[in-house]
Amino acid sequence: TTMTAGLQFPLGPLGSSGFPLLSALAVVPGDNDSVAVVPSTNGGVGIYTRGTLRPTTAVGVYLPSQIAFSASGLRLYGYYHRSATAYDYDYLYRMDVTPAGVTVKDTTSGLVGYSHSTRMQLDGGRIYSDSGEVVDPETLTRLACKMLKAVSVISLKGISP
């Protein structure tokens, strides 16, 4: 390895730090010339290849603040959490990646995390969150969660004699 930066290109407006305002960025597996980008402001999730934005971008009411690719690079997962006065919203996005760009396949709530500080990591086809969830993002199934949360749910339901 030469330890030399490869192709460099602008990704949008610069913040006061002189760097682009991005919420998330991920390299497409098997394609070091392509990256998925989530801007901090308007727009949608886009795929840049050699500095050129592919024509189709995934747009929605909320943009994911974290993204991760499947091993094949054909699926992009995103996570977004929003706290409101009376409700917390968390969304897991499944997005399809094609040569034309990226589109939202579907959005599911209540699987990945419970707070704005939740972080997700994709490994072996499963999403692991630092709040204790293990999720199969293809079947949209929660496989495990922290015992503390399970106990809290059970105690809220009560035990019938």
Side-chain angles (χ1 to χ4, degrees):
T1 354
T2 64
M3 302 298 285
T4 304
L7 178 67
Q8 298 176 32
F9 54 91
L11 292 173
L14 301 180
S16 60
S17 65
F19 294 102
L21 300 172
L22 302 178
S23 290
L25 180 130
V27 177
V28 178
D31 184 359
N32 292 336
D33 290 333
S34 297
V35 293
V37 174
V38 182
S40 293
T41 58
N42 306 325
V45 180
I47 307 284
Y48 285 83
T49 300
R50 299 194 61 67
T52 301
L53 179 62
R54 294 182 189 177
T56 304
T57 58
V59 294
V61 176
Y62 304 111
L63 294 175
S65 57
Q66 301 172 57
I67 54 176
F69 276 100
S70 65
S72 70
L74 298 176
R75 175 87 74 210
L76 180 63
Y77 303 103
Y79 174 72
Y80 173 82
H81 178 86
R82 176 174 181 250
S83 293
T85 305
Y87 302 99
D88 277 350
Y89 302 93
D90 72 287
Y91 299 103
L92 174 66
Y93 294 83
R94 293 191 305 175
M95 295 170 272
D96 293 325
V97 179
T98 68
V102 60
T103 56
V104 175
K105 175 181 174 63
D106 55 32
T107 306
T108 304
S109 183
L111 283 176
V112 177
Y114 296 96
S115 77
H116 68 280
S117 62
T118 296
R119 298 284 175 237
M120 70 168 201
Q121 177 76 35
L122 185 71
D123 185 41
R126 293 183 175 171
I127 291 175
Y128 297 86
S129 78
D130 63 0
S131 56
E133 289 73 29
V134 179
V135 173
D136 180 328
E138 284 307 307
T139 62
L140 299 174
T141 305
R142 183 180 291 152
L143 304 172
C145 64
K146 277 199 262 187
M147 182 57 83
L148 180 59
K149 289 184 180 160
V151 170
S152 297
V153 170
I154 290 169
S155 66
L156 289 174
K157 290 183 178 179
I159 298 174
S160 301

